[in-house]
């Protein structure tokens, strides 16, 4: 069963960075403004969710219902696309599944979070030599082509701020997309199913100790 709260998300983000991105991220500690910091690495990473906590819990419930019926994440993607594109099927369009897995909704929410966090980076957060933003997209539907639309938004939005994020991490459950701002490069990292379970269990344990 997946969980959803701020502390859990911060620990989960840290674990994925260590295991899937760079082992050096083990030096990060969970704190605030930004959420993950390391003096040794000269690094600060803010963690945010595309959805509100209520929406996130609803989305996780939907995903878990699919998982309990034996669906893998690729199966979920195919099923949602099949239902949403089915001619004359208006019932699905009004359900929470359609709302939560709609890429347009996800794009808008991610863009809102990025704009908000850019403003806070320039006003409220401690600035490090390397500043990052980790965004939970909360959907398995978003893929590399879709992420490119988000990076285009990032490039435009950052022109309005003197301080920008050097790295963006966009978590799409079984995929972690790493966007390097200055190099304009996008790196997709697949997260194996067994690792997702390990991350969840360890994040639950760590967040329960606080």
């Amino acid at each position: 069963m997946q969980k959803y709260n701020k502390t859990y998300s911060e620990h989960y983000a840290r674990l994925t960075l260590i295991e899937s991105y760079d082992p050096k991220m083990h030096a990060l500690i969970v704190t605030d403004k930004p959420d993950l910091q390391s003096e040794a690495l000269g690094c600060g990473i803010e963690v945010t969710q595309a959805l509100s906590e209520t929406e996130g819990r609803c989305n996780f419930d939907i995903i878990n219902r699919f998982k309990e019926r034996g669906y893998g994440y690729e199966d979920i993607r195919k099923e949602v696309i099949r239902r949403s594109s089915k001619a004359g099927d208006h019932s699905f369009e009004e359900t929470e599944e359609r709302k939560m897995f709609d890429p347009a909704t996800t794009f808008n929410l991610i863009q809102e979070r990025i704009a908000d966090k850019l403003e806070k980076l320039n006003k409220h957060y401690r600035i490090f030599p390397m500043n990052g933003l980790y965004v939970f997209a909360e959907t398995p539907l978003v893929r590399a082509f879709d992420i490119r639309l988000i990076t285009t938004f990032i490039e435009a939005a950052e022109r309005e701020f003197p301080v920008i994020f050097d790295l963006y991490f966009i978590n799409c459950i079984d995929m972690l997309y790493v966007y390097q701002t200055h190099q304009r490069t996008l790196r997709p990292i697949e997260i194996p199913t067994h690792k997702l379970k390990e991350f969840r269990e360890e994040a639950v344990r760590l967040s329960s100790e606080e």
Side-chain angles (χ1 to χ4, degrees), residues 12-163:
Y12 190 100
R14 178 178 176 273
L15 291 167
T16 61
L17 291 174
I18 295 169
E19 293 285 336
S20 303
Y21 176 64
D22 187 341
K24 292 180 182 178
M25 292 294 180
H26 191 275
L28 292 169
I29 61 170
V30 176
T31 179
D32 194 30
K33 296 182 181 180
D35 299 310
L36 305 176
Q37 300 181 20
S38 169
E39 297 289 349
L41 298 178
C43 173
I45 301 173
E46 177 68 4
V47 179
T48 189
Q49 295 85 18
L51 304 180
S52 68
E53 184 167 342
T54 299
E55 291 170 329
R57 289 183 186 278
C58 179
N59 198 30
F60 280 170
D61 287 343
I62 292 167
I63 292 171
N64 285 325
R65 289 204 298 272
F66 275 110
K67 296 291 285 183
E68 287 166 2
R69 297 202 302 256
Y71 284 77
Y73 289 111
E74 187 61 37
D75 298 323
I76 295 174
R77 279 189 284 274
K78 291 178 181 178
E79 180 64 9
V80 172
I81 292 170
R82 183 191 69 79
R83 293 192 195 184
S84 62
S85 61
K86 190 175 180 181
D89 183 4
H90 300 294
S91 60
F92 181 73
E93 294 177 3
E94 302 304 320
T95 64
E96 288 300 313
E97 285 96 334
R98 183 71 185 101
K99 175 185 175 184
M100 295 301 177
F101 289 113
D102 181 8
T105 299
T106 302
F107 295 156
N108 290 337
L109 291 170
I110 291 175
Q111 289 171 6
E112 287 175 8
R113 294 297 180 272
I114 289 172
D116 175 62
K117 293 301 182 179
L118 275 169
E119 184 171 352
K120 289 181 177 177
L121 175 67
N122 282 267
K123 291 183 178 180
H124 305 297
Y125 295 162
R126 180 183 173 188
I127 304 300
F128 284 83
M130 197 289 286
N131 303 286
L133 180 64
Y134 190 113
V135 182
F136 284 93
E138 322 293 6
T139 173
L141 282 183
V142 177
R143 280 304 182 242
F145 173 78
D146 306 312
I147 297 296
R148 282 295 182 188
L149 300 177
I150 296 171
T151 62
T152 298
F153 169 82
I154 290 172
E155 292 168 11
E158 289 189 331
R159 297 190 191 108
E160 302 178 17
F161 297 93
V163 181

